[in-house]
Structures are given as C-alpha cells and as structure tokens.
Amino acid sequence: MTFDTPLKIKLKTLTITVAFSVAVGALTACQASNLKTQAPVKAHTANTQAQTDSIADKAFSKFSASFIDQFWQLYPGHAVYAGFYQYDNLLPIPDIKTQKKELAFHQKQLALLTTINPDTLNAKNASDFYILKNQLESEIWSATELKNGQWDPSQYNVAGVFGVILNTPYKPLDERLKTIIERMNHIPAYYQAAQNNLTNPTLTHTLLAVQQSKGTLALFENSIASKIAKSTLPKKDKQLFTQRLNTSSTAIKHYINWLDQKAIALEKSTTAKDFRIGKDLYEKKFKYDIFSSYTAKELFTKALSEKERVHQEMIKIADTLWPKYFKDTKKPANKLTMVKAIIDHISVKHVKRDEFVNSIRRQIPELEAFVLQHDLITMDKDKPLVVRETPEYQRGFAGASINAPGPYDAAANTYYNVTPLDNFNDDEAESYLREYNHWLLQILNIHEAVPGHYTQLVHSNKSKSLIKSIFGNGAMVEGWAVYTERMMLEEGYGDNEPELWLMYYKWNLRVIMNSILDYSIQVNGLTEDKALDMMVNQAFQEPAEAQGKWRRATLSQVQLTSYFTGYSEIYQLREELKKATGDKFNLKDFHDQFLSFGSAPVPIIKKLMFDDYVNSHK
C-alpha cells in the first residue's frame, strides 16, 4: 500500500469515488471480513459497556492511538486524505524496501493486537478491534497473495494528494505550494519504482493508467504551474519549482511512454495476464472487502433471486403505463420486452448535453429541502457540498464521485465530481443522457449527494471512533446510498409517480446486476458480448452505460458487490427494528443512530445499536 492514490470507494458506473479526499486504493473498503469466518462482535451487556475504564479497554485505546500515528507516518498520502497534514511533505517511494517495511509493520501490529481479548472490551472498542484486525489481515493478504502492485499500473499515480494539497486551504497557499515543491523532488524515483514493480501488468489496467497519467501531467503543467506563477513565492522557490517541474514532467512522460509500449506488447501477446483474478482470490478479497454473513457465491445466488423479484415489480408498473404511452399498440407477449419498450420510450426525457453538470447543481437544494421538510435525517448546513467538474486526473473510472474530507478536517468542502460529456460523440452522449434521464438523474443525486454519500460521510466524520471513520467499510457506505434511494421514494419523494418508481427499479436492478456481473466475469469467465447482452436486455441499460460497466468490471474486483450487500443488510435491519418497536419506531431516530457509528460494517452497527434502539423506543 505504498501508492499515493486516494482512499476510494468506487460506486456504480455513473460511479463514485468517495475519498478522504474512501475511499477506496485498497484501503477503503474497510476490509471487514465474513462473519462466518471471523468471530462476531460480542453482544455486550449494559454493565459491560459501562466498563469504559477497564484495563483491556485502556490497553486497546493505547494500541489504536499508537497504530494510527504510525500508520500516518507510513502512509502520509492517506493521512492527507483524512485531513491529517503533519506529514504532508512526504512522498514514499514504492520500492522493495518500502514494501518490506509495510509488511513488517502490519505483521507486528497484528501480533500486538491479538494479545488483547476482544471479549473483555466494551462494545465500541470490540467493534474497533475487529475492524483493525481485518484491516491488518487484509493488508498482509494483499501484499503476499493478491500482489496487485505487480499487475495494476493505475495503482501508481501521485496526482491525488497533490490535488488535495493544492485545493484544500488547511494552511496558507504559499506554504502549501512549498510543500508541493518539496514532494515533487521524489516523483522521478516514485515512477521508476513503479516500473520496477510492474512485472506482469494487465492490458486493461495499463490503458487506464495511461489515461489517468495524462491527467496527472496536466495537473502539474497547468493547475499547479499556474498557481505558482501567480503566487507571492520568492524567485528562488519559483526557480526550484521550474526545475522540479521539468524533472517531474519528464518522469511522468517516461512512465506514459513505458505504459504505451507495454500496452502494444500486451495487445499482441497470447500469454498476457488476464484481468480476472479467479475464484480463490475473489472469495478472499470478498471476505476482506465486504463485511457480510454471505460468501461471494452465496451473495451471487441471492442476487439472481432478487433480480427475478424486481423484474416482477417492473412488469406490474409497465402494465399500468402501457395504455398511457401505447394505447393503440398491442402489448408484447414477452413481459420484459414490454418493460424495455416503456423505458426506451420515456428515456428521451432528459437534460441537454451542455446542461448536464448544471442540472445536477440545481437539484441538490431541492433534495435537501425534501429531507428537512419530512424530518428524515439530521442535516448539517455548515458542511458545504460543492458540485464541480471532475478533475482530469480522476476521470476514466466513474462518471460521478464524491470527494469528502476526512475526520481531521471535517469542516472542509465535500466535492461532488461530475464528468462533463465533452469526450462523447453525439450518439454516445445521447445514449448516456437517456441512461441518466429525467428520473434517473434524480435517483443518482439522491445516491451521491442527499441523503446518500455526502450526508452519510458528514455524519461519519462526527463519529467518536477514529478507527471507524478512517477505515470506512465500503459496503456500508455504498449500501447506505442505495438504501436512501428506496427510502426517499417510500417517504413520498416524486409523489409516487409510476415512471419514477419504474426508473428506480431499473436503477436498483443495476445494483443487483452489479453483483451478478462482477462474480460472473471475475469467477465464471463471462465474456464481453454476453455481459453486454445481460446488461442491456435483462437490466435495461443503455449501450453506453453497459460498455462503461464492462470496463469497470475489468478494472476492479468485488467492489461492485458492495452496493447490494450493504443495501440488503441496512434495509433488513430497519425492518427488524420496525417489527421490534411497532408504532414507536421513528425513522429519523433510526437514521441518526445508524449513522452515528461512522462508516462501520453493518453487522457491527447492528450489534451496537439494536438493543439500545429497541429499549429507547418501547
């Protein structure tokens, strides 16, 4: 984990990247493990929870504080994403020496952690214990088995942290520019180490790295260079920047050229490494990245069943809408053909191409007003959300993303990145806009912004547990955003318009299909043509969306399952609490209490809040 990329939580294909800039290189997905293979959090009694000053709790608190401090020193880039800037001038070189140092650190910390008995800890510390244990085990597994630093060139990109330093006013601009100049001194060594590490790159990850590295070059030669030219830095500092810009640009261009040559060779090779990681690695990665009671295979089976249920709901709505749009046309015998015909017909209602970003910007206040009017969740008006065009160095993976500040700098802006359609031809743009039509664009904004990712991450930064805030669980974060889509419609958003519900189910079907698709591609070897057919004809996606999802599924593994897993478990928890409390159930209380535990895995949150919520709502 020597990479300088953001902690990312990569969401769907108008997807998201929630960074502590979570979310998610390797670090995000809070790497929580499967409850069947790891001991669950003990169901602590009230008396146990009250023993906050026990010897074991003190020992764990001391350990976790020491671990976090050492972690930031080892990973100063991730510290910047979390809003901890003490080591902002450091840029570690991802060479063999650093990799050995990181592995030794994780092995030592795991040995120290396991000297503490989690059964003797209070609920908060016990849950933190299991999150840290899984984090450490995940890092060791990644270094010794997954070894993605050897085959994924996109792991190596210095742009993210430089972008945060440039754009976050945590200290005066001139001081931040000096920090940038200092960090730039290590860029040539960084990219040389990257080339040395990449012994077996895949073609798909190589092509992504080329695209993103060109954005990195533009960051230095345009954005940073412009800021320094207009700054009040002394002449000697500007001269030093020019010198280091030349050497940095040369290093980045050399890396791009090296990747270009690799890509040419890989395209011709018949023995090049496949982007698919296979069943064994997939199951293990699922265990570490997704905290669930399911195995990857079990979740795949559940998703297949849920797909059939959602199809039936869509058929019911399409039946009622058919006379409205096709009153003189006979319904197709095939029910899914009927659904697709309705979706295709109404998807022409969408914003204009050049209004895509602005239309999103205008809708956020409307969503905030609905949440406040219906008293659904506590909103913090002091934590601004800024809609902006996605920076070039972040483009190529997802069309929309959230960059959220970390717990150390929670007052900083949250950015909702939206990629404009500049690089699409007319046909591609029309397909994309039909996918994100009038109704789906609203659901997208619920998911990404209010009350989805933006709202959840604001709450997460208020968590009293730094462990839960720093090592946020991707399935909880993504699951919450998916859960809010359904919750908003259930609470009356859109006035129960059948077209909106139909598009919601289309969107929800995408979540389900994400899990089916990811497992089918990575484990079962599903081909591109069959994957596209599945997405277009069974999930009613536009060709541009389907192509984007195929690309994403070739670049990531497991993360696409996080949406369905987290959503299912959050919704199930809510329904269980409704049953347990009857007419005393309060939706806002549930939301606020659920979010108060930070970005912890849903099974841990359930252990922490279930009895307390029931007892306080009798």
Side-chain angles (χ1 to χ4, degrees), residues 34-98:
N34 190 305
L35 285 175
K36 291 184 177 179
T37 57
Q38 176 171 297
V41 179
K42 183 178 178 182
H44 293 70
T45 65
N47 288 336
T48 303
Q49 293 174 14
Q51 296 171 2
T52 55
D53 294 326
S54 70
I55 294 175
D57 283 312
K58 288 181 178 179
F60 179 78
S61 296
K62 182 178 180 180
F63 169 83
S64 60
S66 173
F67 169 80
I68 290 172
D69 183 61
Q70 293 178 73
F71 186 86
W72 291 149
Q73 293 180 57
L74 198 60
Y75 301 110
H78 292 317
V80 169
Y81 288 122
F84 186 84
Y85 305 112
Q86 184 173 338
Y87 310 113
D88 63 350
N89 63 318
L90 302 178
L91 175 59
I93 308 305
D95 54 17
I96 297 300
K97 179 180 178 181
T98 300

Side-chain angles (χ1 to χ4, degrees), residues 444-456:
L444 170 71
N445 291 331
I446 290 171
H447 180 113
E448 303 291 353
V450 179
H453 286 307
Y454 158 67
T455 303
Q456 184 266 320

Side-chain angles (χ1 to χ4, degrees), residues 421-600:
L421 310 186
D422 300 345
N423 294 326
F424 287 171
N425 62 38
D426 290 344
D427 289 341
E428 291 170 338
E430 176 62 19
S431 178
Y432 195 85
L433 290 168
R434 285 171 62 88
E435 182 69 26
Y436 294 95
N437 55 59
H438 169 73
W439 296 280
L440 271 183
L441 202 56
Q442 296 174 65
I443 297 170
L444 170 71
N445 291 331
I446 290 171
H447 180 113
E448 303 291 353
V450 179
H453 286 307
Y454 158 67
T455 303
Q456 184 266 320
L457 290 166
V458 168
H459 279 262
S460 182
N461 279 339
K462 296 179 181 179
S463 169
K464 295 180 180 179
S465 165
L466 270 179
I467 295 297
K468 294 184 183 71
S469 293
I470 294 168
F471 302 110
N473 176 253
M476 180 274 176
V477 175
E478 295 296 352
W480 169 262
V482 175
Y483 161 78
T484 61
E485 301 158 14
R486 179 171 176 176
M487 180 273 294
M488 288 283 279
L489 268 64
E490 288 177 335
E491 294 304 307
Y493 179 81
D495 298 323
N496 284 313
E497 184 183 20
E499 288 87 349
L500 181 59
W501 271 103
L502 182 64
M503 287 299 179
Y504 160 75
Y505 280 121
K506 176 182 184 293
W507 183 270
N508 189 243
L509 189 58
R510 176 192 295 185
V511 168
I512 298 164
M513 192 63 75
N514 279 350
S515 293
I516 297 172
L517 191 72
D518 199 55
Y519 190 89
S520 297
I521 292 172
Q522 293 289 337
V523 176
N524 296 337
L526 187 71
T527 59
E528 181 176 2
D529 58 339
K530 291 183 178 179
L532 295 176
D533 178 74
M534 181 188 298
M535 287 183 278
V536 171
N537 295 315
Q538 296 183 42
F540 314 110
Q541 296 178 13
E542 287 289 322
E545 174 66 22
Q547 286 285 355
K549 183 59 60 65
W550 165 259
R551 171 179 167 81
R552 184 175 170 188
T554 67
L555 295 170
S556 66
Q557 319 85 29
V558 170
Q559 192 275 331
L560 282 170
T561 70
S562 60
Y563 309 93
F564 182 58
T565 308
Y567 156 71
S568 299
E569 293 180 339
I570 294 170
Y571 199 86
Q572 180 180 341
L573 171 59
R574 191 192 76 177
E575 296 306 292
E576 289 177 4
L577 286 172
K578 277 186 176 181
K579 184 176 180 180
T581 58
D583 59 5
K584 300 293 185 182
F585 179 83
N586 182 280
L587 188 61
K588 182 180 182 181
D589 288 351
F590 166 70
H591 291 155
D592 285 352
Q593 188 171 350
F594 180 85
L595 295 178
S596 71
F597 295 102
S599 301

Side-chain angles (χ1 to χ4, degrees), residues 248-267:
S248 295
S249 296
T250 299
I252 297 170
K253 288 175 182 176
H254 185 270
Y255 184 57
I256 293 171
N257 291 334
W258 183 82
L259 292 172
D260 280 333
Q261 294 304 309
K262 282 286 183 183
I264 292 171
L266 290 169
E267 286 175 336

